[in-house]
Amino acid sequence: MSIQSVIPYLYIVASVLFIFALKMLSSAKTARRGNLVSSLGMLLAIVATLLYQGMAFKWILFGAIAGSLVGGTAARRVKMTAMPEMVGLFNGFGGLASLLVGWAEYQSKPQSPTFTIAAIFYAVLIGGVTFSGSVVAYAKLAEKISGKPHIFKGQHIVNGALVAAILLCGIAFTANPAGTYGIFLLIALLALVLGVLSVIPIGGADMPVVISLLNSYSGLAACAAGFVIRNNVLIVAGSLVGASGLILTNIMCKAMNRSLANVLFSGFGSATAATGKGYQGEANPVSPEDAYLILEAAGSVVFVPGYGMAVAQAQHVVRELGELLEANGTEVQYAIHPVAGRMPGHMNVLLAEANVPYEQLVVPEDVNPVMPTVDVAVVIGANDVVNPAAREDETSPLYGMPIINVDEAKTCMVLKRSLNPGFAGVDNPLFFKQNTRMLFGDAKASISAVVAEFKE
Ligand code: NAP
Protein backbone atom coordinates (compact mmCIF):
# COMPACT_ATOMS: atom_id res chain seq x y z
CA MET A 1 0.00 0.00 0.00
CA SER A 2 1.54 3.31 -1.06
CA ILE A 3 1.39 6.46 1.04
CA GLN A 4 -0.72 8.07 -1.69
CA SER A 5 -3.44 5.47 -1.32
CA VAL A 6 -3.72 6.18 2.44
CA ILE A 7 -4.64 9.84 1.86
CA PRO A 8 -8.35 9.24 1.08
CA TYR A 9 -8.73 7.21 4.29
CA LEU A 10 -7.10 9.96 6.33
CA TYR A 11 -9.52 12.42 4.72
CA ILE A 12 -12.46 10.25 5.72
CA VAL A 13 -11.24 10.11 9.33
CA ALA A 14 -10.74 13.92 9.31
CA SER A 15 -14.27 14.45 7.94
CA VAL A 16 -15.78 12.17 10.59
CA LEU A 17 -13.87 14.10 13.29
CA PHE A 18 -15.30 17.39 11.93
CA ILE A 19 -18.83 16.02 12.11
CA PHE A 20 -18.42 14.69 15.67
CA ALA A 21 -16.79 17.98 16.69
CA LEU A 22 -19.75 19.96 15.36
CA LYS A 23 -22.10 17.81 17.40
CA MET A 24 -19.97 18.42 20.51
CA LEU A 25 -19.93 22.17 19.86
CA SER A 26 -23.70 22.28 20.23
CA SER A 27 -23.51 21.78 24.00
CA ALA A 28 -21.59 23.95 26.44
CA LYS A 29 -20.42 20.87 28.35
CA THR A 30 -18.69 19.24 25.38
CA ALA A 31 -17.78 22.39 23.39
CA ARG A 32 -14.14 22.54 24.52
CA ARG A 33 -13.62 18.91 23.58
CA GLY A 34 -15.38 19.62 20.29
CA ASN A 35 -12.87 22.37 19.52
CA LEU A 36 -10.03 19.99 20.25
CA VAL A 37 -11.52 17.22 18.10
CA SER A 38 -12.05 19.59 15.15
CA SER A 39 -8.46 20.87 15.50
CA LEU A 40 -7.29 17.26 15.42
CA GLY A 41 -9.37 16.67 12.27
CA MET A 42 -7.81 19.73 10.66
CA LEU A 43 -4.31 18.60 11.61
CA LEU A 44 -4.98 15.20 10.07
CA ALA A 45 -6.35 16.82 6.90
CA ILE A 46 -3.25 19.03 6.61
CA VAL A 47 -0.83 16.16 7.22
CA ALA A 48 -2.67 14.01 4.67
CA THR A 49 -2.53 16.82 2.10
CA LEU A 50 1.20 17.30 2.68
CA LEU A 51 1.67 13.63 1.74
CA TYR A 52 0.59 14.38 -1.84
CA GLN A 53 3.39 14.08 -4.35
CA GLY A 54 4.86 17.25 -5.78
CA MET A 55 4.13 19.63 -2.92
CA ALA A 56 6.07 22.92 -3.04
CA PHE A 57 7.11 22.86 0.61
CA LYS A 58 8.94 26.17 0.55
CA TRP A 59 5.73 28.04 -0.29
CA ILE A 60 3.74 26.04 2.21
CA LEU A 61 6.25 26.88 4.94
CA PHE A 62 6.15 30.55 3.93
CA GLY A 63 2.32 30.56 4.12
CA ALA A 64 2.28 28.70 7.45
CA ILE A 65 4.73 31.13 9.07
CA ALA A 66 2.99 34.23 7.71
CA GLY A 67 -0.46 32.90 8.72
CA SER A 68 0.69 31.92 12.22
CA LEU A 69 2.23 35.34 12.77
CA VAL A 70 -0.95 37.17 11.72
CA GLY A 71 -3.25 34.79 13.63
CA GLY A 72 -1.09 34.81 16.78
CA THR A 73 -0.84 38.61 16.83
CA ALA A 74 -4.57 39.03 16.21
CA ALA A 75 -5.49 36.59 18.98
CA ARG A 76 -3.30 38.48 21.47
CA ARG A 77 -4.24 42.01 20.44
CA VAL A 78 -7.93 41.84 19.59
CA LYS A 79 -10.30 42.54 22.47
CA MET A 80 -13.25 40.24 23.11
CA THR A 81 -15.69 43.01 22.09
CA ALA A 82 -13.89 43.28 18.73
CA MET A 83 -14.23 39.54 17.97
CA PRO A 84 -17.14 39.89 15.51
CA GLU A 85 -15.16 42.12 13.15
CA MET A 86 -12.11 39.88 13.40
CA VAL A 87 -14.20 36.83 12.56
CA GLY A 88 -15.64 38.88 9.68
CA LEU A 89 -12.20 39.64 8.32
CA PHE A 90 -11.08 36.01 8.63
CA ASN A 91 -14.16 34.90 6.65
CA GLY A 92 -13.13 37.38 3.98
CA PHE A 93 -9.65 35.87 3.75
CA GLY A 94 -11.25 32.42 3.40
CA GLY A 95 -13.23 33.76 0.42
CA LEU A 96 -10.12 35.37 -1.07
CA ALA A 97 -8.20 32.10 -0.72
CA SER A 98 -10.93 30.24 -2.66
CA LEU A 99 -10.90 32.94 -5.36
CA LEU A 100 -7.13 32.59 -5.69
CA VAL A 101 -7.31 28.78 -5.83
CA GLY A 102 -9.82 29.08 -8.69
CA TRP A 103 -7.67 31.65 -10.45
CA ALA A 104 -4.46 29.61 -10.09
CA GLU A 105 -6.13 26.48 -11.44
CA TYR A 106 -7.55 28.38 -14.42
CA GLN A 107 -4.19 30.02 -15.09
CA SER A 108 -2.35 26.69 -15.13
CA LYS A 109 -5.04 24.59 -16.88
CA PRO A 110 -7.38 26.78 -18.95
CA GLN A 111 -8.45 23.70 -20.94
CA SER A 112 -9.94 21.88 -17.93
CA PRO A 113 -13.19 19.90 -18.26
CA THR A 114 -16.43 21.90 -18.14
CA PHE A 115 -17.23 20.68 -14.62
CA THR A 116 -13.93 22.06 -13.28
CA ILE A 117 -14.41 25.33 -15.16
CA ALA A 118 -17.89 25.69 -13.64
CA ALA A 119 -16.40 25.03 -10.18
CA ILE A 120 -13.74 27.69 -10.87
CA PHE A 121 -16.53 30.12 -11.77
CA TYR A 122 -18.35 29.45 -8.48
CA ALA A 123 -15.16 29.61 -6.39
CA VAL A 124 -14.28 33.00 -7.90
CA LEU A 125 -17.84 34.35 -7.69
CA ILE A 126 -18.63 33.29 -4.12
CA GLY A 127 -15.07 33.88 -2.94
CA GLY A 128 -15.06 37.41 -4.41
CA VAL A 129 -18.44 38.34 -2.90
CA THR A 130 -17.33 36.93 0.47
CA PHE A 131 -14.04 38.82 0.43
CA SER A 132 -15.26 42.29 -0.45
CA GLY A 133 -18.49 41.89 1.57
CA SER A 134 -16.49 40.85 4.63
CA VAL A 135 -14.11 43.77 4.28
CA VAL A 136 -17.09 46.18 4.25
CA ALA A 137 -18.66 44.34 7.23
CA TYR A 138 -15.34 44.62 9.09
CA ALA A 139 -15.02 48.32 8.26
CA LYS A 140 -18.55 49.01 9.50
CA LEU A 141 -18.17 47.09 12.74
CA ALA A 142 -14.72 48.54 13.46
CA GLU A 143 -16.17 51.99 12.69
CA LYS A 144 -13.63 52.57 9.92
CA ILE A 145 -16.64 53.64 7.84
CA SER A 146 -20.09 54.76 8.97
CA GLY A 147 -22.26 51.89 10.19
CA LYS A 148 -25.37 53.51 8.69
CA PRO A 149 -27.13 51.67 5.88
CA HIS A 150 -26.11 53.29 2.57
CA ILE A 151 -29.18 53.06 0.44
CA PHE A 152 -29.55 54.63 -2.99
CA LYS A 153 -32.44 54.64 -5.42
CA GLY A 154 -32.62 51.62 -7.68
CA GLN A 155 -30.14 49.67 -5.54
CA HIS A 156 -31.97 46.37 -5.95
CA ILE A 157 -32.12 46.90 -9.72
CA VAL A 158 -28.37 47.58 -9.88
CA ASN A 159 -27.63 44.49 -7.79
CA GLY A 160 -30.02 42.40 -9.92
CA ALA A 161 -28.34 43.64 -13.10
CA LEU A 162 -24.94 42.81 -11.63
CA VAL A 163 -26.03 39.24 -10.83
CA ALA A 164 -27.45 38.86 -14.36
CA ALA A 165 -24.22 40.18 -15.89
CA ILE A 166 -22.13 37.78 -13.79
CA LEU A 167 -24.29 34.82 -14.80
CA LEU A 168 -24.05 35.75 -18.51
CA CYS A 169 -20.27 36.09 -18.20
CA GLY A 170 -20.26 32.72 -16.40
CA ILE A 171 -22.04 31.04 -19.31
CA ALA A 172 -19.63 32.57 -21.85
CA PHE A 173 -16.66 31.60 -19.70
CA THR A 174 -17.77 28.00 -19.19
CA ALA A 175 -18.52 27.57 -22.90
CA ASN A 176 -15.07 28.74 -24.02
CA PRO A 177 -12.69 28.98 -21.05
CA ALA A 178 -9.45 29.10 -23.01
CA GLY A 179 -10.38 32.17 -25.06
CA THR A 180 -12.09 34.26 -22.38
CA TYR A 181 -9.42 35.38 -19.93
CA GLY A 182 -10.81 38.91 -20.05
CA ILE A 183 -14.27 37.63 -19.15
CA PHE A 184 -12.77 35.66 -16.28
CA LEU A 185 -11.21 38.84 -14.89
CA LEU A 186 -14.51 40.66 -15.37
CA ILE A 187 -16.31 37.97 -13.34
CA ALA A 188 -13.82 38.40 -10.49
CA LEU A 189 -14.20 42.18 -10.61
CA LEU A 190 -18.02 42.10 -10.73
CA ALA A 191 -18.08 39.61 -7.84
CA LEU A 192 -16.01 42.03 -5.74
CA VAL A 193 -18.36 44.91 -6.64
CA LEU A 194 -21.40 42.75 -5.82
CA GLY A 195 -19.95 41.95 -2.38
CA VAL A 196 -19.57 45.67 -1.60
CA LEU A 197 -23.00 46.62 -2.94
CA SER A 198 -24.74 43.80 -1.06
CA VAL A 199 -23.31 44.77 2.32
CA ILE A 200 -23.28 48.59 2.26
CA PRO A 201 -27.11 48.87 2.48
CA ILE A 202 -27.10 46.85 5.70
CA GLY A 203 -26.87 48.77 9.00
CA GLY A 204 -23.90 48.21 11.33
CA ALA A 205 -26.41 46.83 13.80
CA ASP A 206 -27.15 43.84 11.60
CA MET A 207 -23.52 43.15 10.77
CA PRO A 208 -23.20 40.11 13.11
CA VAL A 209 -25.98 38.39 11.14
CA VAL A 210 -24.29 39.37 7.88
CA ILE A 211 -20.97 38.05 9.16
CA SER A 212 -22.60 34.73 9.99
CA LEU A 213 -24.03 34.65 6.45
CA LEU A 214 -20.66 35.55 4.94
CA ASN A 215 -19.16 32.75 7.02
CA SER A 216 -21.59 30.42 5.30
CA TYR A 217 -20.55 31.87 1.90
CA SER A 218 -16.87 31.34 2.72
CA GLY A 219 -17.71 27.66 3.34
CA LEU A 220 -19.49 27.40 -0.01
CA ALA A 221 -16.54 29.08 -1.74
CA ALA A 222 -14.16 26.59 -0.09
CA CYS A 223 -16.44 23.76 -1.19
CA ALA A 224 -16.30 25.03 -4.80
CA ALA A 225 -12.49 25.32 -4.47
CA GLY A 226 -12.52 21.69 -3.26
CA PHE A 227 -14.24 20.68 -6.52
CA VAL A 228 -11.72 22.75 -8.49
CA ILE A 229 -8.70 20.92 -7.07
CA ARG A 230 -10.66 17.67 -6.44
CA ASN A 231 -9.91 17.64 -2.73
CA ASN A 232 -12.56 15.69 -0.83
CA VAL A 233 -11.84 16.98 2.64
CA LEU A 234 -12.09 20.58 1.43
CA ILE A 235 -15.46 19.77 -0.12
CA VAL A 236 -16.71 18.23 3.14
CA ALA A 237 -15.30 20.96 5.42
CA GLY A 238 -16.62 23.70 3.09
CA SER A 239 -20.10 22.17 3.06
CA LEU A 240 -20.10 21.89 6.86
CA VAL A 241 -19.13 25.56 7.23
CA GLY A 242 -21.69 26.55 4.58
CA ALA A 243 -24.52 24.66 6.27
CA SER A 244 -23.67 25.59 9.85
CA GLY A 245 -23.26 29.27 8.93
CA LEU A 246 -26.71 29.21 7.36
CA ILE A 247 -28.24 27.51 10.41
CA LEU A 248 -26.63 30.09 12.71
CA THR A 249 -27.90 32.94 10.51
CA ASN A 250 -31.37 31.48 10.75
CA ILE A 251 -31.17 31.15 14.55
CA MET A 252 -30.07 34.79 14.88
CA CYS A 253 -32.83 36.04 12.60
CA LYS A 254 -35.43 34.05 14.55
CA ALA A 255 -34.13 35.35 17.89
CA MET A 256 -34.58 38.90 16.57
CA ASN A 257 -37.94 38.00 15.02
CA ARG A 258 -36.71 39.18 11.61
CA SER A 259 -36.58 37.45 8.27
CA LEU A 260 -33.28 37.17 6.43
CA ALA A 261 -34.76 39.31 3.64
CA ASN A 262 -35.59 41.99 6.21
CA VAL A 263 -32.01 41.93 7.53
CA LEU A 264 -30.50 42.08 4.04
CA PHE A 265 -32.76 44.60 2.35
CA SER A 266 -34.60 46.77 4.90
CA GLY A 267 -31.78 49.04 6.09
CA PHE A 268 -32.68 48.32 9.75
CA GLY A 269 -30.11 49.31 12.33
CA SER A 270 -29.62 52.85 11.13
CA ALA A 271 -29.72 55.50 13.80
CA THR A 272 -32.99 56.76 12.39
CA ALA A 273 -34.68 53.47 11.54
CA ALA A 274 -35.57 52.38 15.04
CA THR A 275 -38.25 54.36 16.81
CA GLY A 276 -40.80 53.09 19.31
CA LYS A 277 -42.69 54.99 21.99
CA GLY A 278 -40.81 57.22 24.38
CA TYR A 279 -41.97 55.63 27.63
CA GLN A 280 -42.64 58.03 30.49
CA GLY A 281 -42.44 57.37 34.17
CA GLU A 282 -40.24 57.47 37.19
CA ALA A 283 -37.43 55.01 37.59
CA ASN A 284 -36.61 53.71 41.07
CA PRO A 285 -32.86 54.03 41.62
CA VAL A 286 -31.19 52.00 44.34
CA SER A 287 -27.74 52.12 45.94
CA PRO A 288 -25.36 49.13 46.12
CA GLU A 289 -26.30 48.88 49.82
CA ASP A 290 -30.03 48.57 48.92
CA ALA A 291 -29.14 46.10 46.16
CA TYR A 292 -27.24 44.01 48.70
CA LEU A 293 -30.23 43.93 51.07
CA ILE A 294 -32.57 42.86 48.26
CA LEU A 295 -30.21 40.12 47.08
CA GLU A 296 -29.32 38.95 50.55
CA ALA A 297 -33.00 38.24 51.25
CA ALA A 298 -33.61 36.45 47.92
CA GLY A 299 -34.22 32.69 47.71
CA SER A 300 -33.66 32.60 43.95
CA VAL A 301 -31.73 34.92 41.64
CA VAL A 302 -31.48 34.87 37.85
CA PHE A 303 -28.68 36.90 36.28
CA VAL A 304 -29.39 38.14 32.76
CA PRO A 305 -26.18 39.37 31.11
CA GLY A 306 -26.06 41.56 28.02
CA TYR A 307 -23.69 43.66 25.94
CA GLY A 308 -23.01 46.01 28.90
CA MET A 309 -21.46 43.13 30.85
CA ALA A 310 -19.01 42.61 27.98
CA VAL A 311 -18.19 46.33 27.86
CA ALA A 312 -17.68 46.50 31.63
CA GLN A 313 -15.84 43.14 31.66
CA ALA A 314 -17.95 42.35 34.70
CA GLN A 315 -18.15 38.57 34.21
CA HIS A 316 -15.64 37.72 36.95
CA VAL A 317 -17.32 39.84 39.63
CA VAL A 318 -20.70 38.49 38.51
CA ARG A 319 -19.45 34.95 39.13
CA GLU A 320 -18.08 36.07 42.51
CA LEU A 321 -21.45 37.53 43.44
CA GLY A 322 -23.13 34.31 42.27
CA GLU A 323 -20.88 32.27 44.55
CA LEU A 324 -21.55 34.54 47.53
CA LEU A 325 -25.29 34.23 46.92
CA GLU A 326 -25.03 30.44 46.72
CA ALA A 327 -23.08 30.38 49.96
CA ASN A 328 -25.97 32.40 51.37
CA GLY A 329 -28.40 29.63 50.36
CA THR A 330 -29.77 31.34 47.23
CA GLU A 331 -30.51 29.38 44.06
CA VAL A 332 -28.51 31.06 41.26
CA GLN A 333 -29.03 30.79 37.51
CA TYR A 334 -27.77 32.68 34.45
CA ALA A 335 -30.32 33.17 31.67
CA ILE A 336 -28.75 33.68 28.25
CA HIS A 337 -30.61 35.13 25.30
CA PRO A 338 -29.36 33.90 21.91
CA VAL A 339 -28.65 37.43 20.64
CA ALA A 340 -27.45 39.03 23.88
CA GLY A 341 -24.19 40.89 23.26
CA ARG A 342 -22.81 41.40 19.80
CA MET A 343 -22.03 37.94 18.48
CA PRO A 344 -23.52 34.48 18.80
CA GLY A 345 -22.47 32.85 22.05
CA HIS A 346 -20.98 36.12 23.33
CA MET A 347 -22.35 35.70 26.85
CA ASN A 348 -21.55 31.98 26.98
CA VAL A 349 -17.93 32.72 26.15
CA LEU A 350 -17.64 35.43 28.81
CA LEU A 351 -19.29 33.35 31.52
CA ALA A 352 -17.18 30.31 30.60
CA GLU A 353 -14.08 32.51 30.83
CA ALA A 354 -15.16 33.42 34.38
CA ASN A 355 -15.72 29.70 35.20
CA VAL A 356 -19.46 29.98 35.77
CA PRO A 357 -20.71 26.37 36.03
CA TYR A 358 -22.46 25.23 32.82
CA GLU A 359 -25.29 23.69 34.86
CA GLN A 360 -26.32 27.17 35.99
CA LEU A 361 -26.87 28.44 32.44
CA VAL A 362 -30.48 28.43 31.24
CA VAL A 363 -32.19 29.41 27.99
CA PRO A 364 -35.20 31.76 27.80
CA GLU A 365 -37.66 28.94 26.96
CA ASP A 366 -36.78 27.22 30.24
CA VAL A 367 -36.60 30.23 32.52
CA ASN A 368 -39.57 32.26 31.25
CA PRO A 369 -42.29 29.86 32.47
CA VAL A 370 -40.88 29.96 36.03
CA MET A 371 -39.98 33.66 36.03
CA PRO A 372 -42.95 34.68 38.26
CA THR A 373 -41.49 32.45 41.00
CA VAL A 374 -38.02 34.06 40.78
CA ASP A 375 -37.27 36.47 43.64
CA VAL A 376 -34.79 38.73 41.83
CA ALA A 377 -33.86 38.97 38.14
CA VAL A 378 -30.57 40.89 37.88
CA VAL A 379 -30.11 42.46 34.44
CA ILE A 380 -26.44 43.20 33.84
CA GLY A 381 -26.00 45.58 30.93
CA ALA A 382 -28.77 43.94 28.88
CA ASN A 383 -31.48 46.05 27.33
CA ASP A 384 -33.16 44.92 24.07
CA VAL A 385 -33.25 41.26 25.10
CA VAL A 386 -35.31 42.13 28.21
CA ASN A 387 -37.51 44.85 26.67
CA PRO A 388 -41.16 44.00 27.50
CA ALA A 389 -42.27 46.23 24.60
CA ALA A 390 -41.34 43.27 22.40
CA ARG A 391 -44.25 41.46 24.06
CA GLU A 392 -46.66 44.27 24.85
CA ASP A 393 -46.32 47.12 22.36
CA GLU A 394 -47.41 46.37 18.81
CA THR A 395 -45.93 49.66 17.60
CA SER A 396 -42.44 48.80 18.86
CA PRO A 397 -39.84 47.83 16.25
CA LEU A 398 -38.92 44.99 18.60
CA TYR A 399 -42.50 43.68 18.75
CA GLY A 400 -42.53 39.90 18.41
CA MET A 401 -38.88 39.39 19.34
CA PRO A 402 -38.66 36.64 21.96
CA ILE A 403 -37.25 38.16 25.18
CA ILE A 404 -36.36 37.07 28.71
CA ASN A 405 -39.37 38.09 30.81
CA VAL A 406 -37.43 39.69 33.68
CA ASP A 407 -40.35 42.06 34.34
CA GLU A 408 -42.35 39.05 35.57
CA ALA A 409 -39.89 38.28 38.38
CA LYS A 410 -40.92 39.46 41.86
CA THR A 411 -38.17 42.09 41.70
CA CYS A 412 -36.15 43.12 38.68
CA MET A 413 -32.84 44.89 39.21
CA VAL A 414 -31.31 46.60 36.20
CA LEU A 415 -27.61 47.51 36.15
CA LYS A 416 -26.67 50.10 33.54
CA ARG A 417 -25.30 53.60 33.40
CA SER A 418 -28.37 55.54 32.23
CA LEU A 419 -31.88 55.16 30.85
CA ASN A 420 -30.49 55.17 27.31
CA PRO A 421 -31.75 52.61 24.84
CA GLY A 422 -29.64 49.67 23.68
CA PHE A 423 -28.45 48.49 20.32
CA ALA A 424 -31.81 48.70 18.50
CA GLY A 425 -32.31 52.31 19.69
CA VAL A 426 -35.70 51.41 21.17
CA ASP A 427 -36.87 52.78 24.54
CA ASN A 428 -37.47 50.28 27.31
CA PRO A 429 -40.58 50.48 29.56
CA LEU A 430 -38.94 47.97 31.94
CA PHE A 431 -37.06 50.79 33.66
CA PHE A 432 -40.34 52.35 34.84
CA LYS A 433 -42.13 49.22 36.06
CA GLN A 434 -43.16 49.14 39.70
CA ASN A 435 -41.09 46.07 40.53
CA THR A 436 -37.95 47.39 38.77
CA ARG A 437 -35.00 48.86 40.65
CA MET A 438 -32.26 50.67 38.74
CA LEU A 439 -28.67 50.31 39.96
CA PHE A 440 -26.99 53.01 37.88
CA GLY A 441 -23.30 52.90 37.03
CA ASP A 442 -20.70 50.76 35.34
CA ALA A 443 -21.76 47.13 35.82
CA LYS A 444 -18.38 46.02 37.14
CA ALA A 445 -18.19 48.88 39.65
CA SER A 446 -21.80 48.30 40.80
CA ILE A 447 -21.37 44.56 41.29
CA SER A 448 -18.02 45.03 42.99
CA ALA A 449 -19.73 47.39 45.44
CA VAL A 450 -22.47 44.80 46.14
CA VAL A 451 -19.80 42.09 46.57
CA ALA A 452 -17.99 44.36 49.04
CA GLU A 453 -21.23 44.72 51.02
CA PHE A 454 -21.61 40.93 51.10
CA LYS A 455 -18.04 40.49 52.33
CA GLU A 456 -18.59 42.97 55.12
P1 NAP B 1 -28.16 46.16 24.20
O1 NAP B 1 -29.61 46.19 23.91
O2 NAP B 1 -27.23 46.64 23.18
O3 NAP B 1 -27.97 47.01 25.54
C1 NAP B 1 -26.74 47.06 26.17
C2 NAP B 1 -26.85 48.01 27.33
O4 NAP B 1 -25.64 47.92 28.07
C3 NAP B 1 -26.99 49.45 26.91
O5 NAP B 1 -28.32 49.87 27.00
C4 NAP B 1 -26.05 50.21 27.86
O6 NAP B 1 -26.82 51.11 28.64
C5 NAP B 1 -25.50 49.13 28.76
N1 NAP B 1 -24.07 49.31 29.03
C6 NAP B 1 -23.09 49.65 28.17
N2 NAP B 1 -21.91 49.74 28.81
C7 NAP B 1 -22.16 49.45 30.10
C8 NAP B 1 -21.36 49.36 31.26
N3 NAP B 1 -20.04 49.60 31.23
N4 NAP B 1 -21.95 49.02 32.44
C9 NAP B 1 -23.27 48.79 32.50
N5 NAP B 1 -24.09 48.84 31.43
C10 NAP B 1 -23.53 49.17 30.24
O7 NAP B 1 -27.67 44.71 24.63
P2 NAP B 1 -28.42 43.31 24.70
O8 NAP B 1 -29.61 43.40 25.59
O9 NAP B 1 -27.35 42.34 25.01
O10 NAP B 1 -28.99 43.09 23.26
C11 NAP B 1 -28.18 42.76 22.17
C12 NAP B 1 -28.65 43.49 20.96
O11 NAP B 1 -27.72 43.26 19.91
C13 NAP B 1 -30.00 43.03 20.46
O12 NAP B 1 -30.73 44.10 19.93
C14 NAP B 1 -29.63 42.07 19.35
O13 NAP B 1 -30.64 41.92 18.38
C15 NAP B 1 -28.42 42.75 18.79
N6 NAP B 1 -27.61 41.80 18.02
C16 NAP B 1 -26.95 40.84 18.65
C17 NAP B 1 -26.27 39.91 17.91
C18 NAP B 1 -25.57 38.75 18.54
O14 NAP B 1 -25.06 37.92 17.82
N7 NAP B 1 -25.50 38.67 19.84
C19 NAP B 1 -26.25 39.99 16.55
C20 NAP B 1 -26.93 41.02 15.93
C21 NAP B 1 -27.61 41.93 16.68
P3 NAP B 1 -26.12 52.43 29.25
O15 NAP B 1 -25.52 53.14 28.10
O16 NAP B 1 -27.23 53.16 29.91
O17 NAP B 1 -25.11 51.94 30.24
Side-chain angles (χ1 to χ4, degrees):
M1 200 187 223
S2 72
I3 286 194
Q4 297 298 302
S5 60
V6 175
I7 296 174
Y9 297 104
L10 294 179
Y11 277 173
I12 291 176
V13 177
S15 305
V16 170
L17 288 178
F18 289 154
I19 292 166
F20 274 110
L22 266 183
K23 177 83 191 120
M24 289 179 190
L25 285 171
S26 61
S27 144
K29 264 190 201 150
T30 51
R32 273 175 208 224
R33 213 163 349 123
N35 247 331
L36 213 69
V37 171
S38 63
S39 313
L40 198 71
M42 191 50 85
L43 183 69
L44 201 62
I46 292 172
V47 171
T49 308
L50 292 178
L51 294 177
Y52 268 117
Q53 265 164 7
M55 281 285 158
F57 282 104
K58 102 178 149 190
W59 288 112
I60 291 172
L61 198 68
F62 174 75
I65 292 174
S68 306
L69 281 180
V70 173
T73 315
R76 256 184 294 120
R77 289 231 188 127
V78 177
K79 285 196 196 136
M80 199 63 211
T81 43
M83 268 310 158
E85 54 252 45
M86 192 176 86
V87 172
L89 206 56
F90 282 176
N91 286 341
F93 289 147
L96 182 63
S98 302
L99 184 153
L100 293 177
V101 166
W103 193 340
E105 187 72 7
Y106 173 55
Q107 187 90 25
S108 61
K109 293 177 217 142
Q111 295 287 13
S112 298
T114 309
F115 181 81
T116 310
I117 293 294
I120 290 175
F121 167 68
Y122 285 115
V124 170
L125 168 59
I126 311 174
V129 170
T130 308
F131 174 61
S132 57
S134 298
V135 170
V136 176
Y138 161 80
K140 283 199 173 203
L141 272 182
E143 292 176 5
K144 307 271 183 218
I145 58 172
S146 157
K148 280 188 189 157
H150 297 278
I151 299 171
F152 58 86
K153 229 176 159 196
Q155 198 152 26
H156 298 327
I157 298 173
V158 172
N159 285 355
L162 253 179
V163 173
I166 292 174
L167 289 180
L168 283 177
C169 289
I171 293 171
F173 171 64
T174 322
N176 176 24
T180 47
Y181 194 64
I183 291 191
F184 172 81
L185 292 181
L186 187 63
I187 292 171
L189 183 73
L190 292 182
L192 292 172
V193 175
L194 183 64
V196 174
L197 288 187
S198 322
V199 178
I200 50 162
I202 305 171
D206 278 334
M207 274 312 127
V209 185
V210 173
I211 283 177
S212 158
L213 190 66
L214 288 168
N215 176 245
S216 168
Y217 287 178
S218 73
L220 296 180
C223 180
F227 279 109
V228 171
I229 55 171
R230 290 166 298 284
N231 184 303
N232 290 340
V233 82
L234 192 53
I235 297 172
V236 173
S239 316
L240 289 175
V241 173
S244 50
L246 210 57
I247 293 170
L248 179 59
T249 308
N250 192 30
I251 291 174
M252 288 164 82
C253 287
K254 267 197 186 153
M256 294 194 292
N257 198 36
R258 315 250 311 275
S259 67
L260 184 57
N262 181 275
V263 170
L264 295 182
F265 306 120
S266 74
F268 185 93
S270 59
T272 50
T275 49
K277 280 181 195 164
Y279 300 97
Q280 301 291 325
E282 214 163 290
N284 291 313
V286 286
S287 64
E289 294 77 34
D290 300 331
Y292 158 70
L293 292 175
I294 295 171
L295 287 171
E296 202 265 332
S300 56
V301 167
V302 173
F303 288 109
V304 183
Y307 180 63
M309 184 180 84
V311 176
Q313 285 294 298
Q315 62 274 23
H316 296 279
V317 278
V318 170
R319 196 246 314 139
E320 199 181 347
L321 178 59
E323 283 174 357
L324 288 168
L325 283 167
E326 276 194 299
N328 195 38
T330 310
E331 188 199 338
V332 175
Q333 286 183 314
Y334 298 78
I336 302 192
H337 192 281
V339 293
R342 290 294 180 271
M343 63 176 177
H346 202 169
M347 297 300 118
N348 302 70
V349 171
L350 293 179
L351 294 180
E353 178 198 317
N355 287 326
V356 168
Y358 294 137
E359 309 78 59
Q360 293 184 347
L361 307 189
V362 282
V363 291
E365 302 86 74
D366 290 339
V367 77
N368 277 344
V370 294
M371 195 58 94
T373 65
V374 170
D375 287 332
V376 189
V378 185
V379 178
I380 308 156
N383 195 339
D384 296 341
V385 300
V386 292
N387 190 335
R391 218 181 43 228
E392 299 166 346
D393 178 1
E394 284 185 32
T395 64
S396 170
L398 290 180
Y399 185 69
M401 169 172 157
I403 56 154
I404 299 180
N405 297 332
V406 288
D407 56 313
E408 292 181 355
K410 289 175 194 159
T411 303
C412 173
M413 198 186 295
V414 181
L415 280 73
K416 67 199 291 290
R417 297 162 306 179
S418 66
L419 293 175
N420 286 345
F423 162 92
V426 178
D427 284 320
N428 193 339
L430 175 71
F431 309 150
F432 310 111
K433 297 244 175 192
Q434 253 189 345
N435 59 338
T436 300
R437 300 288 174 272
M438 301 295 301
L439 181 50
F440 287 114
D442 173 77
K444 187 173 176 183
S446 298
I447 295 185
S448 301
V450 176
V451 165
E453 290 288 325
F454 256 101
K455 286 188 175 163
E456 270 175 30

